[in-house]
mmCIF file of all heavy atoms in Angstrom:
data_model
loop_
_atom_site.group_PDB
_atom_site.id
_atom_site.type_symbol
_atom_site.label_atom_id
_atom_site.label_comp_id
_atom_site.label_asym_id
_atom_site.label_seq_id
_atom_site.Cartn_x
_atom_site.Cartn_y
_atom_site.Cartn_z
ATOM 1 N N GLU F 568 -19.094 25.400 62.579
ATOM 2 C CA GLU F 568 -17.772 25.974 62.810
ATOM 3 C C GLU F 568 -16.618 24.953 62.712
ATOM 4 O O GLU F 568 -16.716 23.869 63.311
ATOM 5 C CB GLU F 568 -17.601 26.734 64.172
ATOM 6 C CG GLU F 568 -16.411 27.381 64.400
ATOM 7 C CD GLU F 568 -16.241 27.917 65.857
ATOM 8 O OE1 GLU F 568 -17.320 27.836 66.653
ATOM 9 O OE2 GLU F 568 -15.148 28.411 66.235
ATOM 10 N N GLY F 569 -15.654 25.215 61.932
ATOM 11 C CA GLY F 569 -14.516 24.254 61.667
ATOM 12 C C GLY F 569 -14.848 23.233 60.698
ATOM 13 O O GLY F 569 -13.878 22.406 60.437
ATOM 14 N N ILE F 570 -15.903 23.184 60.001
ATOM 15 C CA ILE F 570 -16.155 22.246 59.010
ATOM 16 C C ILE F 570 -16.244 22.902 57.625
ATOM 17 O O ILE F 570 -17.223 23.707 57.362
ATOM 18 C CB ILE F 570 -17.483 21.501 59.227
ATOM 19 C CG1 ILE F 570 -17.588 20.788 60.549
ATOM 20 C CG2 ILE F 570 -17.708 20.420 58.097
ATOM 21 C CD1 ILE F 570 -16.496 19.781 60.860
ATOM 22 N N GLY F 571 -15.178 22.728 56.913
ATOM 23 C CA GLY F 571 -15.060 23.346 55.470
ATOM 24 C C GLY F 571 -15.585 22.416 54.443
ATOM 25 O O GLY F 571 -16.049 21.284 54.779
ATOM 26 N N GLN F 572 -15.439 22.733 53.186
ATOM 27 C CA GLN F 572 -15.826 21.922 52.050
ATOM 28 C C GLN F 572 -15.181 20.597 52.093
ATOM 29 O O GLN F 572 -15.840 19.529 51.789
ATOM 30 C CB GLN F 572 -15.596 22.713 50.671
ATOM 31 C CG GLN F 572 -16.440 23.870 50.426
ATOM 32 C CD GLN F 572 -17.857 23.433 50.059
ATOM 33 O OE1 GLN F 572 -18.073 22.309 49.712
ATOM 34 N NE2 GLN F 572 -18.789 24.339 50.174
ATOM 35 N N THR F 573 -13.887 20.614 52.368
ATOM 36 C CA THR F 573 -13.148 19.296 52.393
ATOM 37 C C THR F 573 -13.645 18.317 53.344
ATOM 38 O O THR F 573 -13.951 17.196 53.041
ATOM 39 C CB THR F 573 -11.632 19.570 52.572
ATOM 40 O OG1 THR F 573 -11.169 20.450 51.572
ATOM 41 C CG2 THR F 573 -10.918 18.336 52.477
ATOM 42 N N ARG F 574 -13.870 18.753 54.689
ATOM 43 C CA ARG F 574 -14.395 17.884 55.674
ATOM 44 C C ARG F 574 -15.861 17.547 55.431
ATOM 45 O O ARG F 574 -16.242 16.270 55.727
ATOM 46 C CB ARG F 574 -14.222 18.594 57.064
ATOM 47 C CG ARG F 574 -12.880 18.383 57.756
ATOM 48 C CD ARG F 574 -12.957 18.665 59.221
ATOM 49 N NE ARG F 574 -11.667 18.482 59.751
ATOM 50 C CZ ARG F 574 -10.930 19.205 60.612
ATOM 51 N NH1 ARG F 574 -11.541 20.355 60.931
ATOM 52 N NH2 ARG F 574 -9.784 18.848 61.128
ATOM 53 N N ALA F 575 -16.578 18.403 54.864
ATOM 54 C CA ALA F 575 -17.972 18.138 54.581
ATOM 55 C C ALA F 575 -18.056 17.076 53.557
ATOM 56 O O ALA F 575 -18.828 16.049 53.681
ATOM 57 C CB ALA F 575 -18.676 19.420 54.058
ATOM 58 N N LYS F 576 -17.237 17.077 52.493
ATOM 59 C CA LYS F 576 -17.228 16.074 51.488
ATOM 60 C C LYS F 576 -16.815 14.692 52.042
ATOM 61 O O LYS F 576 -17.393 13.644 51.715
ATOM 62 C CB LYS F 576 -16.389 16.441 50.325
ATOM 63 C CG LYS F 576 -16.927 17.550 49.417
ATOM 64 C CD LYS F 576 -15.969 17.872 48.298
ATOM 65 C CE LYS F 576 -16.542 18.927 47.404
ATOM 66 N NZ LYS F 576 -15.629 19.269 46.271
ATOM 67 N N ALA F 577 -15.758 14.865 52.927
ATOM 68 C CA ALA F 577 -15.212 13.593 53.523
ATOM 69 C C ALA F 577 -16.372 12.889 54.441
ATOM 70 O O ALA F 577 -16.465 11.618 54.389
ATOM 71 C CB ALA F 577 -14.020 13.821 54.381
ATOM 72 N N LEU F 578 -17.111 13.780 55.138
ATOM 73 C CA LEU F 578 -18.173 13.167 56.013
ATOM 74 C C LEU F 578 -19.289 12.502 55.253
ATOM 75 O O LEU F 578 -19.676 11.407 55.528
ATOM 76 C CB LEU F 578 -18.712 14.316 56.954
ATOM 77 C CG LEU F 578 -17.941 14.735 58.114
ATOM 78 C CD1 LEU F 578 -18.516 15.959 58.738
ATOM 79 C CD2 LEU F 578 -17.938 13.559 59.255
ATOM 80 N N LEU F 579 -19.594 13.288 54.143
ATOM 81 C CA LEU F 579 -20.755 12.714 53.232
ATOM 82 C C LEU F 579 -20.271 11.460 52.619
ATOM 83 O O LEU F 579 -21.079 10.486 52.339
ATOM 84 C CB LEU F 579 -21.088 13.832 52.204
ATOM 85 C CG LEU F 579 -22.040 14.908 52.694
ATOM 86 C CD1 LEU F 579 -22.256 15.894 51.662
ATOM 87 C CD2 LEU F 579 -23.271 14.317 53.163
ATOM 88 N N LYS F 580 -19.040 11.349 52.175
ATOM 89 C CA LYS F 580 -18.484 10.145 51.544
ATOM 90 C C LYS F 580 -18.575 8.983 52.513
ATOM 91 O O LYS F 580 -18.737 7.866 52.106
ATOM 92 C CB LYS F 580 -17.082 10.381 51.002
ATOM 93 C CG LYS F 580 -16.513 9.297 50.209
ATOM 94 C CD LYS F 580 -15.122 9.608 49.628
ATOM 95 C CE LYS F 580 -14.619 8.459 48.777
ATOM 96 N NZ LYS F 580 -13.328 8.776 48.222
ATOM 97 N N HIS F 581 -18.204 9.261 53.779
ATOM 98 C CA HIS F 581 -18.120 8.203 54.828
ATOM 99 C C HIS F 581 -19.451 7.676 55.233
ATOM 100 O O HIS F 581 -19.814 6.569 55.388
ATOM 101 C CB HIS F 581 -17.181 8.682 55.930
ATOM 102 C CG HIS F 581 -16.969 7.656 57.043
ATOM 103 N ND1 HIS F 581 -16.257 6.506 56.813
ATOM 104 C CD2 HIS F 581 -17.515 7.553 58.287
ATOM 105 C CE1 HIS F 581 -16.183 5.776 57.872
ATOM 106 N NE2 HIS F 581 -17.008 6.349 58.782
#
Side-chain angles (χ1 to χ4, degrees):
E568 183 185 355
I570 304 299
Q572 288 287 345
T573 302
R574 271 196 179 134
K576 286 181 180 179
L578 281 170
L579 284 174
K580 186 175 181 181
H581 182 69

